[in-house]
Amino acid sequence: MTKYIFITGGVVSSLGKGIVAASLGRLLVSRGFKVSIQKFDPYINVDPGTMSPFQHGEVFVCDDGAETDLDLGHYERFIDTNLGQINNVTSGSVYQTVIEKERRGEYLGATVQMIPHITGEIKSRLIKASQKDNPDILIAEIGGTIGDIEGLPFIEAIRQFRSEVGFQNSMSIHVTLLPYLPTSGELKTKPSQHSVNVLRSYGIQPEMLVLRTQVPVCESEKDKLALFCSVDKDNVIECKDMNSIYEVPLYLEKQGITKQVLKILNIKGKKLDLKPLEDLADKIKHPKKEVKIALAGKYTELNDAYISVVESLKHAGFKNNCKINIKWIASEEIKSLKEAQKHLCDVQGIVVPGGFGARGIEGKLRVIQYARENNIPYLGLCLGMQCAVIEFARNVAGLKEANSTEFDKNAKDKVIDLMENQKHIAGYGATMRLGAYPCEIKKDTLAHSLYKEDKISERHRHRFEFNGEYKEMLSKQGLVISGTSPDGLLAEIIENPKCDYFIAVQFHPEFKSRPQRPHPLFLGLIEHALKNQLKTSHDK
């Protein structure tokens, strides 16, 4: 049967529980186990799809169309498994399901309560996740910080669940912070002791502690935590800050985490293969080249808003033994083409990522114009494709008032328009074109040379699209539509053959990139950026 690992966090939020969960998952996969990971988020939103990127960061989209927490991106990248809706559970989705059942009379007139109905629904999500993929081990991360009132139903559900499946089939890992006081040169264990006491007061005794720390943890501090938290000292695991998240699994393995986890869960160990991780870590630590890539967006104040894009660029860098230096460009600050030149004159490649709303759009158009006119390698993602179409229509095809319906409902030339099946939708949550859709690629195009396939599948998240009424006109002006939906109605990929690398896509390729298997569009960008760097250095 499936074994369960529950990961909670204490002292402060944003501890990196997701990276710990993903790293442990990767180590277990490296031992030959089938692993799945689930995220429980205590917020009342049904999903993060309607939340501001400034508050929540990126919305990660799965193949089945689920709009999920960004941690699922880390899970997929680390364990190299496609996850879905069942892997992302929020309080809002749980409460919504329970209320809908009550309205249908499924509780037979019973008073609906936190226990057993809410906790029962949470436990049912655990069972569904284990049934979906039948993993050897299911890791469940509980968002927030222990002691938060909104997280209590999840903690109670875990307490009940562990009793029901048997303590030999489950374990609890508590990730906690050891604050470092530089004035005295001390790591303080008291906050972690209090955090564990709170967890124990809810009926859960953690079998393992993972200590987030800036500096190495000495043996005396581990002894103290083991004693006061009733945890075996071998199960007190240090997790020091690392230069790259992809180095975390190796560091945790040095602390013996998988050996202890398997011992607690009474699972016979399998042969560990760390060579792929070690090779990756070596490339990260010893890059032979560097390249600067501009990322021009509207949410640049919070890097997590574009975390999958950033990681995809890094993946392509790993493949090329190259360090990626990202130059963040707040698109709304680009007021003129001269300003674009000032910001972009030192970069070797440009990415315009997805987004919503009119703010910063004109700046993005200037960034794209600069890339096109100066033959700077360019990759547009979702909105980045729509902006590339608008820029081409205005500055090449002569449609000076070209725009998107999203930004100007009265635009003369709506080269980007609302999708037909979106025109009568009233709500916002989970109503866009979401998830994986097929795309057919034309031969003898840049896209075909990158993918080396005639048909691909990519993940979408958008309401607006290339207006088919302008396809013929813009194509005659030199814009190539190299990828379409199978029926040919939707433009999925556009490129400009007059540039060495100018390609933009309606989908989100960043969601499918992996550390050791970079996405071909990002790989192509970095390879051309390196060529561009070599070319410009020779020109000088």
Side-chain angles (χ1 to χ4, degrees):
M1 65 177 291
T2 297
K3 303 276 187 172
Y4 299 87
I5 300 173
F6 298 100
I7 297 181
T8 55
V11 182
V12 296
S13 60
S14 301
L15 264 180
K17 296 190 302 296
I19 298 300
V20 171
S23 297
L24 177 56
R26 176 58 191 267
L27 291 169
L28 291 167
V29 167
S30 297
R31 285 183 180 266
F33 293 104
K34 187 177 181 181
V35 177
S36 187
I37 312 183
Q38 199 170 25
K39 176 71 182 285
F40 290 95
D41 261 316
Y43 54 72
I44 307 298
N45 304 67
V46 175
D47 59 47
T50 58
M51 296 169 70
S52 167
F54 288 120
Q55 282 196 16
H56 193 75
E58 169 191 86
V59 175
F60 187 82
V61 179
C62 300
D63 273 352
D64 65 0
E67 294 176 285
T68 73
D69 182 81
L70 60 82
D71 275 325
L72 266 77
H74 290 310
Y75 303 162
E76 284 202 358
R77 287 186 283 270
F78 274 67
I79 67 174
D80 199 10
T81 299
N82 291 338
L83 304 176
Q85 185 66 69
I86 193 58
N87 299 92
N88 191 71
V89 180
T90 68
S91 288
S93 69
V94 170
Y95 297 152
Q96 183 182 56
T97 299
V98 170
I99 291 169
E100 287 173 351
K101 286 182 178 180
E102 185 273 332
R103 293 287 83 188
R104 292 194 299 266
E106 292 187 24
Y107 297 123
L108 304 176
T111 301
V112 179
Q113 297 176 293
M114 192 66 69
I115 302 171
H117 301 99
I118 297 297
T119 54
E121 181 60 30
I122 293 170
K123 290 186 289 183
S124 77
R125 306 290 178 96
L126 283 162
I127 297 298
K128 288 175 184 175
S130 62
Q131 290 174 341
K132 175 176 174 274
D133 298 315
N134 193 29
D136 299 312
I137 299 168
L138 176 65
I139 300 172
E141 176 200 347
I142 293 78
T145 307
I146 201 69
D148 293 344
I149 191 169
E150 60 265 30
L152 291 178
F154 293 100
I155 301 301
E156 171 59 18
I158 290 168
R159 185 195 67 77
Q160 296 175 19
F161 190 83
R162 292 198 62 190
S163 178
E164 291 164 4
V165 301
F167 290 98
Q168 73 277 14
N169 295 316
S170 66
M171 68 174 291
S172 168
I173 298 176
H174 193 56
V175 182
T176 181
L177 176 71
L178 292 190
Y180 176 68
L181 301 183
T183 51
S184 61
E186 289 181 296
L187 278 171
K188 308 304 290 185
T189 65
K190 192 64 71 177
S192 295
Q193 294 176 43
H194 288 314
S195 181
V196 171
N197 280 338
V198 172
L199 185 60
R200 290 162 73 180
S201 73
Y202 297 148
I204 296 177
Q205 166 64 52
E207 283 85 6
M208 179 175 285
L209 299 180
V210 174
L211 312 177
R212 294 288 290 110
T213 174
Q214 291 177 282
V215 297
V217 183
C218 67
E219 292 301 310
S220 63
E221 286 152 345
K222 288 185 178 181
D223 288 338
K224 187 186 295 184
L225 284 165
L227 176 64
F228 287 101
C229 297
S230 301
V231 174
D232 190 312
K233 186 183 174 183
D234 289 339
N235 297 337
V236 179
I237 307 295
E238 177 187 309
C239 186
K240 190 165 67 71
D241 293 349
M242 307 298 291
N243 292 325
S244 168
I245 59 174
Y246 301 109
E247 297 177 60
V248 175
L250 290 172
Y251 194 81
L252 290 176
E253 184 59 29
K254 285 181 181 178
Q255 311 297 310
I257 190 169
T258 47
K259 177 185 174 183
Q260 294 306 116
V261 164
L262 295 177
K263 181 179 178 182
I264 293 167
L265 293 175
N266 194 26
I267 303 176
K268 188 176 180 180
K270 298 183 180 182
K271 186 178 179 181
L272 178 63
D273 180 14
L274 287 179
K275 190 174 188 310
L277 280 172
E278 290 168 345
D279 290 345
L280 182 64
D282 185 65
K283 286 184 177 181
I284 294 170
K285 291 177 181 177
H286 307 105
K288 296 178 181 177
K289 296 162 280 191
E290 290 190 31
V291 70
K292 186 181 290 187
I293 303 295
L295 202 160
K298 62 185 285 189
Y299 309 118
T300 52
E301 294 93 332
L302 181 67
N303 294 358
D304 274 359
Y306 301 114
I307 193 164
S308 287
V309 177
V310 171
E311 294 305 313
S312 297
L313 288 167
K314 290 179 181 178
H315 300 165
F318 301 157
K319 182 76 173 179
N320 284 280
N321 291 310
C322 173
K323 180 182 178 183
I324 307 297
N325 298 311
I326 295 177
K327 185 172 185 178
W328 296 91
I329 309 289
S331 58
E332 59 189 314
E333 295 179 5
I334 308 299
K335 306 294 185 184
S336 66
L337 202 55
K338 188 175 182 180
E339 188 107 358
Q341 180 182 14
K342 185 177 82 172
H343 283 84
L344 300 169
C345 63
D346 62 338
V347 305
Q348 289 80 52
I350 297 170
V351 177
V352 172
F356 299 92
R359 183 170 63 84
I361 291 300
E362 294 300 322
K364 290 181 181 180
L365 296 178
R366 295 181 188 106
V367 166
I368 294 167
Q369 182 180 355
Y370 181 84
R372 179 181 57 79
E373 293 180 348
N374 292 276
N375 197 17
I376 308 295
Y378 172 76
L379 175 60
L381 311 173
C382 196
L383 182 60
M385 171 195 164
Q386 296 172 6
C387 287
V389 172
I390 295 170
E391 190 279 326
F392 188 92
R394 287 185 186 180
N395 300 319
V396 178
L399 303 177
K400 296 300 181 184
E401 296 182 47
N403 215 328
S404 168
T405 309
E406 182 180 7
F407 315 135
D408 183 1
K409 293 180 180 179
N410 300 313
K412 182 180 177 182
D413 291 296
K414 298 173 184 175
V415 294
I416 304 296
D417 202 2
L418 190 64
M419 300 181 73
E420 190 61 36
N421 62 4
Q422 292 284 318
K423 290 183 178 178
H424 304 292
I425 291 175
Y428 287 100
T431 57
M432 287 181 277
R433 188 180 191 226
L434 293 166
Y437 286 88
C439 169
E440 294 186 353
I441 302 178
K442 292 181 181 177
K443 287 183 169 59
D444 301 319
T445 61
L446 174 60
H448 197 275
S449 71
L450 293 167
Y451 278 100
K452 297 179 175 58
E453 294 183 56
D454 298 329
K455 194 170 184 177
I456 60 170
S457 175
E458 293 282 7
R459 300 178 188 180
H460 292 247
R461 185 174 184 252
H462 63 104
R463 297 185 192 280
F464 296 83
E465 62 164 328
F466 189 130
N467 187 342
E469 295 179 9
Y470 291 87
K471 287 182 183 179
E472 185 178 351
M473 178 189 180
L474 297 182
S475 294
K476 285 181 179 178
Q477 295 294 324
L479 190 71
V480 173
I481 300 171
S482 54
T484 65
S485 55
D487 59 12
L489 295 178
L490 303 180
E492 299 276 26
I493 308 174
I494 62 112
E495 52 191 70
N496 189 333
K498 291 185 178 180
C499 299
D500 293 334
Y501 193 88
F502 190 105
I503 190 166
V505 296
Q506 184 57 77
F507 43 82
H508 289 271
E510 66 269 26
F511 295 147
K512 296 186 73 172
S513 186
R514 302 288 188 261
Q516 287 150 320
R517 195 171 64 257
H519 194 284
L521 293 174
F522 287 91
L523 192 58
L525 176 73
I526 298 307
E527 288 173 349
H528 280 79
L530 287 166
K531 290 177 184 176
N532 183 47
Q533 184 184 53
L534 191 62
K535 176 185 171 184
T536 53
S537 65
H538 285 167
D539 290 344
K540 290 176 183 177

